[in-house]
Amino acid sequence: MKRPGRVCGLRACVWLLALVTTCSGLYEDQIGKFDWRQQYVGKIVHGAFDTTSVDRIIVATESNVLAAISAKTGDIVWRQVLESGSRGEVKLLHVSNPSATGARVGSRGHHPGHDVITVTGSLPALVRGWNSNTGTLEWEWSLLPSVDEQAAADAVWFEHDGLLYHVVPVWGSHLEVTPYQTVSGQQARPMTSRIAASWTAKDRCALTESFFACTSKDQLLALDLAADSSSTILSKPLGAEGIGRPKPVRGEAAVIQNGRYYSLRTDQKLAFGGKDAALVDRTIQDGEPILLRGTVDRVNNRLLIVAHRLRDFVKLDPIEFTVDYTDTLGDPELISVRCKQSGSGSGAGLVCRMLLSAEDGAILLIQQGKIKWVREEALAEVATADFLDLTLSDAEGAIEEELNNKNEENGLEWDVYGAFQRRISSQALHLKNLFLHILGVGPAPSKAQRAGLVRDDFGLHKMLVVVTNSGKVFGIDNVSGKHHWTRYLPSFVGFANGVPMKLLVQRTSRFYPLPAQCVIVGRDRTTLNGLLYIFNPITGQPVQGGGVMELPYSVSQISLLHKTGPDFLKALLLLDDKNVAHVVPETLEVYADNYYMFNANHLTSQMNGFHVQYNPSSTKSSKLTTTPSWQIDLSGGSKRQQIIACEGKNPIEHVHSQGRVMADRSVLYKYINPNLVAVATHGADNIHKYIMNVHLVDVVSGSIVFSMSHKRVRPPLHMVHSENWLVYSYFNDKARRTEITSIELYEGKTQTNGTVWSSLDAPPLPMVERQSYILPVAVSALKETITEKGITSKHILIGLSTGAVAEMSWALLDPRRPVTSPEKAREEGIMPYMPELPMPHEILVNYNQTVANLRGIHTAPSGLESTCLVLVHGLDLFVTRVSPSKTFDLLKEDFDYFLITIVLTALTTTSFVVKQLASKKIVKQAWK
């Protein structure tokens, strides 16, 4: 008997397989060809080796990430990005490890159901159980403590004997301790314990294991919160007043204070260096506590790790080793260790893997005295970045040297005979080098040539210089993503109000043979004075000595002078906290004459303008005088407004079109003011709850060109200011949605001055076109595309909270989009107004390469007018290219060169044949 259902099922499977085999991705051959992504996890806060696997490390980081890292390669096995901000801050990470803790997993009658436990946030605190194999969430419960927000933020957690203890310190009064069942979240005790602790103080206490320890004058006081008699206070004399808070020792109830190791269970006290790393482990010798200590020798760049038995301090020779530790890594911290026996019999020994976290954010794995791998997690916190042109190749450099060679002694500077002589000698030298290169005995290529760091024909290959918040600087190849060089600046930090360090380009690599030069401006970590790091962005080497220049003053404003010196170097103009101008280097002070600067105070909303003049007859050390020229108060009538954004125009921007052609063929000229800065203020309002004001300020004259208010809106605010338009996004608190507003400024049908703009001539106020639109998702960053000549159309790159980057055409954001569609608008090519902006998948430039916790976008022009280089940074890095007006100056990759060669050959042959026939015809006609 036949079974038709089975036959139909087989036919359906065959058809399905046939359809699957014919499926293909859109532009699948382009994936990963012009872009790359690097994923990171951030600086480690907690970490441990997973005992259920020999090749997995579980880490929790400052970037609110829980991840598993392969111990063999350092690759990310899985990653869970938790909530942003304080809601996702990891308070506790507990990895099941019976041999290390001595506790049985699943004790007190619980079902394990988890390998990893995390506690994040405070209001509420989220307790979660994770599967260490796949990173999936197994269970979750929340806790909303009945305390104020500050007390909840200071709360700490620890795990002991299968219970989770929640500790809320009330500084100067008491501690509230509550134990909870790990999986269910039920209280293990009916009442919360209130332990008197009047000696506690913020920034003077720390939790180590189950002990809460604080420094009080010259004593170290501690409580065992898991003991039955938890009110018993342990006291240890320090011999001197305690400095800072105690530093907990991982794996043991001990702290490091005033350069000494203090055990809270015993009377042990050991001398420790100020930057020594410490870790106690019980898995090396069957529950015996072993103290591991790491010391860095910065003179020889070596890391010494030794191990002692904590009971009698007997050294363990199998674990003692020395590791090469470069100066690009910060001071280390021992996170976790895992050892196993290798071999058998008399040849058996310990093989240990140690997980370290450097101060700069790098993660290292050391195995038997060698660094197995390093993860540069500083790149998870990018402060600023820029694309730099590479140097010329050896052949192109020889041509440049030939053109720059002036033989002034013989009087043949640029005459015909001298140029011909140099050309012949240069060609002969090139032939000689080619012949020697074929024989293998030619001159060695330069270092940049060997590394492939040479400029290409289209300027698409560049050096990406990235500065991170930890003070680490990277030189990354924008094509391959390779890290060519790394520098660590431990004393550098950003400025006040969350302003990051600045990266400025003083000289590009176009002025051969002069090398490119960049400067990083920051603050000293201790004195808060200005710091400069001057370096070559292609090699990463410092330019002057160590490269770091300490300034005797605090920096409040920075600017590059627009004029260059005799060596094509742009000087750095700095304004200190006393509103005095300085130029670095001082020999270029003359170029700061008649220069205008401004300063904005975010808290008071005060803006001040200054006029810098150069006085050569001055007897002072600095010949610059700074004169206040204007002052604006943007705090409003209620004095509650604070500056939340200040956005100027890109200094390398070129405006190609001065006007816009209307339907009647007249020109509407753009209001292009290079001194215009957009300033946004935000504050509380008695009527509208919140109010945000946007001002366009001319920072030379101090005049407010335009102002606009938005009621009941609040941050996050992101702004883009370019040419004659401004685009910014915000959250509408009334409608509960993200909106984006665009503004365009026009002078009118007549242009005031088409050659030189002057803010001191009091130009007429501009005509303003404005419009608002609705975005379906939240915005994390905004940036405009930029090209070398400004001919290509401008697009807006919108970084979304989902991790995608949308390339929005300006035609959709045009504020002149009419509500109806009259004939004039259709002739100008303007689309009718619609409040909702479409977000199709085709405009996502990073397709499925999501950038977690996207924070910023940086763009730079390439050698091709059609192409713009893009860097997207957040927890990950993503580099790509965009072409807003398509690649109009570049042939397609599938261009048929064979066909065009045949066509050109045929046309050339035909033209010669036709030419001969035409000449014969003319001769014949002449004889008639």
Side-chain angles (χ1 to χ4, degrees):
M1 183 175 179
K2 293 184 179 180
R3 302 176 64 180
R6 186 183 182 95
V7 174
C8 293
L10 290 174
R11 290 178 179 175
C13 291
V14 171
W15 279 107
L16 180 61
L17 290 174
L19 291 175
V20 169
T21 55
T22 58
C23 291
S24 60
L26 183 64
Y27 303 118
E28 188 177 358
D29 59 331
Q30 300 288 331
I31 295 177
K33 190 170 184 179
F34 302 120
D35 57 70
W36 50 265
R37 181 183 65 166
Q38 295 177 355
Q39 293 183 305
Y40 300 97
V41 296
K43 184 179 180 181
I44 290 182
V45 178
H46 311 283
F49 285 89
D50 184 11
T51 57
T52 63
S53 172
V54 297
D55 187 31
R56 193 162 49 233
I57 304 171
I58 309 297
V59 297
T61 69
E62 292 181 354
S63 301
N64 299 352
V65 173
L66 176 68
I69 299 176
S70 172
K72 291 183 179 179
T73 62
D75 297 332
I76 299 176
V77 180
W78 53 261
R79 184 182 70 172
Q80 293 289 349
V81 181
L82 307 177
E83 294 83 359
S84 59
S86 59
R87 295 181 59 226
E89 181 183 356
V90 181
K91 302 274 189 174
L92 171 69
L93 170 67
H94 176 69
V95 180
S96 300
N97 192 347
S99 60
T101 61
R104 288 172 42 199
V105 176
S107 61
R108 297 183 182 267
H110 301 312
H111 186 274
H114 58 273
D115 301 315
V116 179
I117 301 173
T118 61
V119 180
T120 58
S122 54
L123 286 174
L126 297 176
V127 183
R128 292 162 169 159
W130 306 86
N131 188 314
S132 62
N133 292 323
T134 60
T136 55
L137 182 64
E138 301 287 348
W139 49 264
E140 179 186 38
W141 55 271
S142 61
L143 174 66
L144 189 63
S146 57
V147 293
D148 58 7
E149 184 176 353
Q150 183 59 45
D154 295 334
V156 290
W157 294 74
F158 69 92
E159 191 274 345
H160 180 76
D161 199 17
L163 295 179
L164 287 179
Y165 287 78
H166 182 219
V167 183
V168 180
V170 179
W171 304 116
S173 177
H174 62 277
L175 301 175
E176 298 181 2
V177 183
T178 310
Y180 293 93
Q181 302 289 348
T182 303
V183 178
S184 63
Q186 297 179 351
Q187 286 194 23
R189 299 173 188 169
M191 296 288 292
T192 297
S193 302
R194 295 171 62 94
I195 305 173
S198 59
W199 37 267
T200 59
K202 192 174 183 180
D203 298 329
R204 306 284 289 180
C205 300
L207 180 71
T208 171
E209 294 288 314
S210 61
F211 284 80
F212 196 82
C214 299
T215 57
S216 179
K217 296 183 180 179
D218 59 346
Q219 286 187 326
L220 178 66
L221 305 177
L223 286 172
D224 188 358
L225 303 179
D228 295 333
S229 58
S230 58
S231 59
T232 303
I233 301 177
L234 302 176
S235 176
K236 293 182 179 294
L238 298 176
E241 186 174 355
I243 302 174
R245 69 169 62 194
K247 181 181 178 182
V249 177
R250 296 180 185 270
E252 180 66 12
V255 295
I256 297 176
Q257 181 69 44
N258 291 8
R260 285 185 175 87
Y261 170 96
Y262 292 92
S263 175
L264 301 180
R265 299 186 187 276
T266 63
D267 295 331
Q268 284 183 324
K269 182 174 67 173
L270 306 172
F272 252 73
K275 296 184 178 180
D276 288 358
L279 172 68
V280 175
D281 188 79
R282 288 179 168 81
T283 63
I284 299 177
Q285 287 190 349
D286 299 329
E288 180 76 22
I290 303 298
L291 173 64
L292 291 94
R293 179 175 176 179
T295 305
V296 178
D297 180 9
R298 287 297 181 185
V299 177
N300 301 316
N301 288 331
R302 306 284 289 176
L303 170 63
L304 174 63
I305 296 180
V306 295
H308 296 84
R309 197 163 55 194
L310 197 58
R311 174 168 46 87
D312 49 12
F313 213 65
V314 174
K315 182 183 291 187
L316 297 181
D317 294 333
I319 304 182
E320 182 178 359
F321 48 81
T322 305
V323 185
D324 291 331
Y325 202 79
T326 63
D327 55 359
T328 61
L329 297 172
D331 295 327
E333 180 183 1
L334 293 172
I335 302 297
S336 184
V337 62
R338 187 172 186 182
C339 300
K340 65 177 182 178
Q341 293 287 339
S342 65
S344 59
S346 60
L350 283 177
V351 177
C352 295
R353 288 178 173 176
M354 296 186 184
L355 180 67
L356 281 76
S357 175
E359 188 180 19
D360 60 280
I363 303 176
L364 303 86
L365 186 76
I366 297 177
Q367 180 173 334
Q368 294 306 103
K370 294 182 180 180
I371 297 180
K372 193 170 184 180
W373 49 259
V374 178
R375 289 187 58 88
E376 296 290 358
E377 294 300 332
L379 289 169
E381 298 288 339
V382 174
T384 183
D386 202 352
F387 290 89
L388 276 301
D389 289 327
L390 296 173
T391 57
L392 298 176
S393 62
D394 295 343
E396 292 174 340
I399 296 175
E400 288 291 334
E401 289 181 356
E402 175 197 349
L403 296 176
N404 292 331
N405 184 18
K406 297 183 180 181
N407 190 359
E408 298 181 357
E409 297 180 359
N410 299 331
L412 301 175
E413 184 173 352
W414 280 110
D415 61 326
V416 177
Y417 297 104
F420 179 73
Q421 180 183 356
R422 286 190 296 272
R423 170 55 61 185
I424 294 298
S425 60
S426 176
Q427 295 294 342
L429 182 61
H430 289 172
L431 290 175
K432 176 185 174 182
N433 292 337
L434 178 61
F435 181 72
L436 294 178
H437 178 72
I438 294 174
L439 297 178
V441 294
S446 62
K447 186 177 180 181
Q449 185 83 31
R450 293 195 303 270
L453 297 178
V454 293
R455 198 181 307 169
D456 60 333
D457 296 333
F458 298 131
L460 299 172
H461 189 194
K462 296 198 176 191
M463 176 66 75
L464 175 59
V465 180
V466 178
V467 183
T468 63
N469 289 329
S470 64
K472 205 160 189 180
V473 190
F474 296 86
I476 305 176
D477 194 317
N478 77 312
V479 174
S480 62
K482 178 183 177 182
H483 297 181
H484 286 284
W485 56 264
T486 306
R487 292 291 179 273
Y488 180 44
L489 309 173
S491 57
F492 275 68
V493 294
F495 298 94
N497 300 320
V499 179
M501 291 175 281
K502 299 298 181 182
L503 173 64
L504 302 172
V505 182
Q506 292 185 285
R507 182 174 57 213
T508 64
S509 58
R510 298 180 179 180
F511 307 103
Y512 188 88
L514 297 173
Q517 182 172 318
C518 290
V519 59
I520 297 174
V521 186
R523 291 195 302 173
D524 187 87
R525 194 178 295 271
T526 54
T527 65
L528 300 182
N529 285 341
L531 281 180
L532 304 179
Y533 178 65
I534 306 172
F535 64 102
N536 185 333
I538 308 303
T539 62
Q541 297 297 325
V543 173
Q544 299 175 355
V548 177
M549 180 185 299
E550 299 181 4
L551 303 177
Y553 48 83
S554 178
V555 178
S556 62
Q557 188 59 277
I558 312 159
S559 179
L560 273 180
L561 297 181
H562 57 282
K563 295 181 180 179
T564 60
D567 54 353
F568 304 102
L569 186 71
K570 289 185 178 180
L572 196 64
L573 181 61
L574 305 173
L575 192 69
D576 62 14
D577 51 351
K578 297 180 180 179
N579 298 329
V580 178
H582 306 268
V583 173
V584 179
E586 294 182 358
T587 56
L588 301 179
E589 284 185 344
V590 63
Y591 297 107
D593 187 29
N594 200 26
Y595 199 88
Y596 291 88
M597 298 187 73
F598 79 98
N599 200 2
N601 191 316
H602 289 251
L603 298 178
T604 63
S605 297
Q606 298 283 335
M607 293 187 68
N608 300 277
F610 304 94
H611 183 212
V612 181
Q613 290 178 309
Y614 176 75
N615 185 9
S617 60
S618 176
T619 58
K620 299 180 180 179
S621 57
S622 178
K623 298 182 179 181
L624 295 178
T625 58
T626 308
T627 305
S629 56
W630 55 267
Q631 183 178 357
I632 300 176
D633 186 2
L634 300 178
S635 60
S638 61
K639 302 297 181 181
R640 297 181 180 181
Q641 295 283 315
Q642 291 185 350
I643 296 177
I644 59 174
C646 188
E647 192 71 25
K649 298 181 181 181
N650 196 326
I652 64 173
E653 179 183 65
H654 288 82
V655 180
H656 180 261
S657 177
Q658 296 289 329
R660 184 168 184 170
V661 180
M662 310 298 290
D664 57 357
R665 299 301 181 265
S666 62
V667 177
L668 186 62
Y669 289 99
K670 299 177 181 178
Y671 182 84
I672 302 175
N673 185 350
N675 306 317
L676 205 62
V677 172
V679 182
T681 61
H682 184 267
D685 187 76
N686 296 330
I687 300 176
H688 304 291
K689 192 175 180 181
Y690 298 107
I691 189 168
M692 185 181 71
N693 297 320
V694 178
H695 309 277
L696 295 178
V697 181
D698 190 312
V699 294
V700 171
S701 62
S703 61
I704 298 179
V705 176
F706 175 73
S707 295
M708 187 167 62
S709 296
H710 298 271
K711 301 175 178 63
R712 294 197 65 178
V713 301
R714 56 185 174 89
L717 174 72
H718 304 281
M719 304 179 73
V720 170
H721 191 193
S722 177
E723 292 191 6
N724 68 319
W725 50 264
L726 174 70
V727 174
Y728 54 95
S729 65
Y730 51 86
F731 183 78
N732 189 323
D733 202 30
K734 182 179 180 180
R736 297 290 178 181
R737 66 193 182 195
T738 300
E739 295 180 355
I740 188 167
T741 297
S742 60
I743 300 174
E744 267 191 321
L745 308 177
Y746 293 97
E747 286 192 51
K749 296 298 183 68
T750 59
Q751 195 171 17
T752 305
N753 194 331
T755 56
V756 179
W757 177 275
S758 177
S759 297
L760 303 178
D761 290 342
L765 291 179
M767 302 166 48
V768 180
E769 299 283 350
R770 46 187 165 174
Q771 195 62 270
S772 294
Y773 301 92
I774 302 171
L775 281 174
V777 290
V779 177
S780 298
L782 280 181
K783 195 66 177 179
E784 83 280 13
T785 60
I786 185 171
T787 53
E788 193 168 5
K789 301 298 181 183
I791 302 174
T792 306
S793 301
K794 291 272 189 177
H795 281 191
I796 305 298
L797 298 176
I798 306 176
L800 308 179
S801 59
T802 58
V805 180
E807 184 182 2
M808 186 73 66
S809 173
W810 176 251
L812 296 173
L813 296 170
D814 194 340
R816 300 185 69 249
R817 292 177 61 181
V819 178
T820 59
S821 182
E823 289 293 331
K824 292 183 178 180
R826 282 200 295 267
E827 290 185 10
E828 293 182 33
I830 303 177
M831 294 184 293
Y833 174 75
M834 291 184 62
E836 296 87 3
L837 289 176
M839 199 67 66
H841 295 287
E842 292 81 7
I843 67 173
L844 302 182
V845 299
N846 59 338
Y847 44 102
N848 65 339
Q849 304 293 318
T850 303
V851 179
N853 291 346
L854 193 151
R855 285 187 295 272
I857 303 174
H858 180 78
T859 58
S862 66
L864 290 174
E865 174 58 29
S866 64
T867 306
C868 173
L869 305 178
V870 179
L871 165 67
V872 184
H873 62 85
L875 187 61
D876 308 326
L877 292 184
F878 179 75
V879 174
T880 186
R881 310 172 188 170
V882 294
S883 301
S885 300
K886 307 301 180 182
T887 53
F888 57 84
D889 53 358
L890 193 66
L891 294 177
K892 295 183 178 179
E893 292 186 349
D894 57 351
F895 184 79
D896 197 339
Y897 293 94
F898 181 72
L899 178 61
I900 196 65
T901 302
I902 294 176
V903 172
L904 289 176
T905 305
L907 290 176
T908 304
T909 306
T910 305
S911 63
F912 276 105
V913 172
V914 171
K915 182 180 179 181
Q916 293 295 330
L917 295 177
S919 61
K920 291 181 179 180
K921 183 179 179 181
I922 293 174
V923 172
K924 290 181 179 180
Q925 289 179 353
W927 282 101
K928 290 183 179 179

